[in-house]
Amino acid sequence: MRLLYACMGMSLFCAATYASPPETGAVAKALLKVGDPAPPISIQDWVTNSPVDLAAGKGKECYAIWFWQPGDLGSTQLTPRMTILQNRYADKGLKIVGVVTESETNTIEAVRKFVTDMGPRVGWTAAYDKAKETWIAWIVASLKQGEPPSLPK
C-alpha cells in the first residue's frame, strides 16, 4: 500500500512540477478539502479501456487518478508499476485512470504512441483531457490557499 501512496504522491508532484501559469479564466470554483467527494472527470478521448464513471463506481470501486505525461521519464518508469498495482489490487476494486492533459508536447498522438510503445505495460485506463477540465477540477482545486493555480501549457 505504501507503493500506491508513493506512486500517487509522485504523480501529483510531477503534475504540479511541470505546470505553467494559468490561462485566463482558468480558476477553480472551490478548493477541495480532505473528505470532499471526488470531482467528476471530464475526458475527451479514452485511449485504453472503457470510459470510467466515478459516480457509478461509488462504494464498489476505488479510483486512483494519475496525472502523467508521455515522454516524461518519471511517467515512463511509473507506467509498469501502476500496472502492477492495478493487477495486485484489482480484486479489491482498484481502478487506475492515467490522465494526460493537453499541452504543446502532450498531444493525443503522443499519448497513443506511448501506449502502443509500452504495450502490455499499460494495464490501466489511459485518458486524454483536451479541455483541461479534469486538471482544473482535481489539481487546481486541491492546491492550498495562497498557491497559484497552474495548468500545462
Side-chain angles (χ1 to χ4, degrees):
M1 204 59 165
R2 281 188 227 147
L3 180 60
L4 174 63
Y5 293 131
C7 288
M8 288 173 27
M10 174 78 163
S11 65
L12 290 177
F13 172 76
C14 289
T17 301
Y18 294 112
S20 59
E23 293 178 354
T24 307
V27 179
K29 294 178 183 172
L31 293 177
L32 286 175
K33 297 175 192 71
V34 174
D36 284 352
I41 54 177
S42 177
I43 301 299
Q44 290 71 45
D45 197 338
W46 296 93
V47 181
T48 61
N49 301 328
S50 303
V52 170
D53 181 1
L54 298 181
K58 186 175 181 180
K60 298 177 256 178
E61 308 288 346
C62 174
Y63 294 100
I65 308 301
W66 174 40
F67 291 90
W68 63 284
Q69 298 184 39
D72 171 61
L73 180 60
S75 296
T76 302
Q77 292 174 339
L78 281 175
T79 291
R81 290 178 173 89
M82 293 304 230
T83 298
I84 291 168
L85 285 172
Q86 171 78 48
N87 294 338
R88 182 178 295 161
Y89 296 103
D91 62 333
K92 295 185 181 348
L94 177 64
K95 303 273 186 207
I96 296 175
V97 180
V99 178
V100 173
T101 301
E102 182 185 47
S103 71
E104 293 171 15
T105 56
N106 293 343
T107 63
I108 188 63
E109 293 80 17
V111 174
R112 287 191 176 120
K113 181 179 179 339
F114 181 90
V115 168
T116 301
D117 291 350
M118 294 297 281
R121 292 176 287 180
V122 179
W124 34 269
T125 300
Y128 189 67
D129 177 22
K130 182 178 174 81
K132 301 180 183 176
E133 293 171 359
T134 302
W135 177 271
I136 292 169
W138 284 75
I139 299 297
V140 177
S142 66
L143 294 172
K144 296 177 187 172
Q145 285 188 332
E147 290 182 10
S150 53
L151 289 167
K153 289 183 182 179

